[in-house]
Amino acid sequence: MSLGISEAFDLRLDYLIDVVRKTGAKLVGFQFPEGLKRKGPELAKRVEEATGAEVLISGDPCFGACDLDRTLLGHVDLLFHFGHAELEDTKLSEKVYFIETRSAVDVLPVVEKALQELKGQRIGLITTVQHVHKLQEACKLLETRGKTCVIGRGDSRLAYPGQVLGCNFSAARAEACDEYLYIGSGDFHPLGVSLSTKKRVLVANPLSGEVREVDPSRVLRQRSAVIARSLDAEVFGIIVSSKNGQKRMELASSLKALAKKHEKEAHLILIDLVTPDQLLQFKVDAFVNTACPRLAIDEVGRFPAPMLTPQEFEIVLGERDWEHLVLDEITEEPV
């Protein structure tokens, strides 16, 4: 099958057709992350022609396995969710099938290139689900060059050893390493690992062939500025997500209690899609985000009031030291 991006990522057309035929589904849902959404119509056409089923494509944003389209799920016989691995707390229904869109790109050339930049002996290998099946061969290459390779097993929210999410870096903390090699694109995941472990992280992008070291200093400056702007805040809006994989009501309630302990006013705000516009009408001095941890980082400066993470809120209240600032994560244990 030739769908452009599917030359690099496997959309599993034959599997989709087989599942639709075996289940007898008449109305099928597709949900894509932003990078794959443009391929929805062509993939839907292939499935419809092969099965006679009708495909309904979600047009809403999708931020991860934590963000299943529950409205779409209620309308279809089955739902294919693309681009993410199933998490233990995200499968709402047996009607949901996770299509991980594994990459077919050879990672060894960029790992070979990264070897020239690695300084430590004990190297932690990390990646997203798209490349997780390539970690063992990358590990063997590192070991043939005299390195000790570690592929950590994170907590139960992670489907695979060595896998990291934008909200969970526990695989990187599973075993001690001198530094880390992240196979993939983008900065957020490796930045999270760097801030979580306080270790050097190299990014090896198999799509572009680029190797670079991530620098967390800009994010740290931004987060320090947000904390500083919130030190005099008296009224806080604590954001709680209604998305099944992001809902942390217990944490939000504990933060509200912590605010009360410090004689601050705090209100819980339940919301599905958290955007700056959605929060315009709430007149608070600062927000505290317990929804997707990336919100406070990716949208910094765009909210009508400073947006703190739970850990930063603890710093504002004097419950945590500045030097213990880390990125927020959704993990089995508090960060």
Side-chain angles (χ1 to χ4, degrees), residues 43 45 54 58-59 116 142 161 188 245-246 272 274-275 314 321:
L43 188 63
K45 178 182 177 181
E54 185 174 13
S58 174
Q116 305 170 32
L142 292 177
F188 192 88
Q246 298 180 17
D272 184 68
V274 184
T275 67
E314 292 175 353
D321 294 333

Side-chain angles (χ1 to χ4, degrees), residues 124 126 164 169-181 189-201 214 216 325-327 329 335:
I126 48 176
V164 290
F169 314 113
S170 60
R173 293 192 299 272
E175 298 186 46
C177 298
D178 297 327
E179 58 186 338
Y180 294 87
L181 180 62
H189 295 78
L191 276 172
V193 171
S194 177
L195 291 169
S196 176
T197 63
K198 312 301 182 187
K199 296 292 180 69
R200 181 173 181 256
V201 180
V214 296
L325 173 61
V326 294
L327 287 189
E329 298 179 54
V335 182

Side-chain angles (χ1 to χ4, degrees), residues 290-334:
T290 69
C292 174
R294 294 191 62 159
L295 277 168
I297 311 301
D298 289 346
E299 302 290 341
V300 64
R302 296 189 59 218
F303 291 103
M307 177 70 81
L308 298 161
T309 69
Q311 294 79 13
E312 293 164 355
F313 184 52
E314 292 175 353
I315 292 174
V316 167
L317 296 181
E319 294 280 341
R320 179 187 289 250
D321 294 333
W322 281 72
E323 55 266 30
H324 293 153
L325 173 61
V326 294
L327 287 189
D328 184 28
E329 298 179 54
I330 303 179
T331 59
E332 290 179 340
E333 299 295 333

Side-chain angles (χ1 to χ4, degrees), residues 31-79:
Q31 185 182 18
F32 297 94
E34 298 311 300
L36 288 174
K37 194 168 288 181
R38 66 186 182 276
K39 295 303 174 185
E42 190 171 349
L43 188 63
K45 178 182 177 181
R46 297 288 192 89
V47 171
E48 289 179 341
E49 288 176 345
T51 66
E54 185 174 13
V55 175
L56 188 57
I57 304 170
S58 174
D60 288 327
C62 175
F63 300 104
C66 59
D67 190 14
L68 288 177
D69 190 326
R70 292 165 294 180
T71 301
L72 178 60
L73 183 60
H75 285 87
V76 297
D77 299 318
L78 58 85
L79 171 63

Side-chain angles (χ1 to χ4, degrees), residues 6 51 63 65 107 123 198 202 216 237 256:
S6 65
T51 66
F63 300 104
V107 304
I123 309 301
K198 312 301 182 187
L202 282 183
K256 182 178 180 180

Side-chain angles (χ1 to χ4, degrees), residues 105 151 207 252 264 277 281 327:
V105 173
I151 301 176
L207 298 176
K264 305 288 186 179
D277 287 346
Q281 300 304 315
L327 287 189

Side-chain angles (χ1 to χ4, degrees), residues 76-280:
V76 297
D77 299 318
L78 58 85
L79 171 63
F80 291 110
H81 177 100
F82 293 85
H84 306 107
E86 180 182 351
L87 309 181
E88 66 169 4
D89 57 356
T90 59
K91 189 162 185 177
L92 289 174
S93 165
E94 294 302 316
K95 297 193 300 182
V96 179
Y97 293 79
F98 287 83
I99 308 300
E100 296 175 354
T101 59
R102 297 290 184 90
S103 172
V105 173
D106 185 2
V107 304
L108 294 185
V110 77
V111 173
E112 182 81 55
K113 185 177 180 180
L115 272 162
Q116 305 170 32
E117 306 295 331
L118 291 171
K119 300 176 180 178
Q121 172 61 35
R122 190 173 172 85
I123 309 301
L125 271 184
I126 48 176
T127 189
T128 60
V129 71
Q130 277 69 44
H131 304 287
V132 75
H133 59 299
K134 302 280 188 173
L135 287 185
Q136 287 297 336
E137 58 185 273
C139 192
K140 289 179 182 178
L141 176 59
L142 292 177
E143 290 175 343
T144 62
R145 301 297 191 274
K147 300 293 186 181
T148 302
C149 178
V150 176
I151 301 176
R153 170 76 261 188
D155 66 27
S156 63
R157 296 195 81 246
L158 298 175
Y160 303 101
Q163 181 190 5
V164 290
L165 305 175
C167 62
N168 190 309
F169 314 113
S170 60
R173 293 192 299 272
E175 298 186 46
C177 298
D178 297 327
E179 58 186 338
Y180 294 87
L181 180 62
Y182 171 78
I183 298 174
S185 59
D187 284 337
F188 192 88
H189 295 78
L191 276 172
V193 171
S194 177
L195 291 169
S196 176
T197 63
K198 312 301 182 187
K199 296 292 180 69
R200 181 173 181 256
V201 180
L202 282 183
V203 175
N205 186 337
L207 298 176
S208 68
E210 178 189 19
V211 175
R212 68 184 187 281
E213 180 178 349
V214 296
D215 179 7
S217 60
R218 180 180 63 84
V219 171
L220 286 172
R221 288 195 299 271
Q222 288 177 339
R223 301 322 303 165
S224 295
V226 171
I227 293 169
R229 289 175 56 205
S230 305
L231 291 174
D232 295 327
E234 294 293 331
V235 181
F236 296 88
I238 301 177
I239 306 301
V240 186
S241 175
S242 61
K243 297 184 186 298
N244 58 304
Q246 298 180 17
K247 188 185 297 180
R248 292 189 282 175
M249 183 63 77
E250 184 176 344
L251 171 62
S253 295
S254 70
L255 294 176
K256 182 178 180 180
L258 194 61
K260 184 177 181 180
K261 171 187 170 183
H262 288 268
E263 300 182 343
K264 305 288 186 179
E265 184 178 333
H267 304 279
L268 301 181
I269 302 171
L270 182 68
I271 191 169
D272 184 68
L273 180 61
V274 184
T275 67
D277 287 346
Q278 290 288 88
L279 299 180
L280 279 174

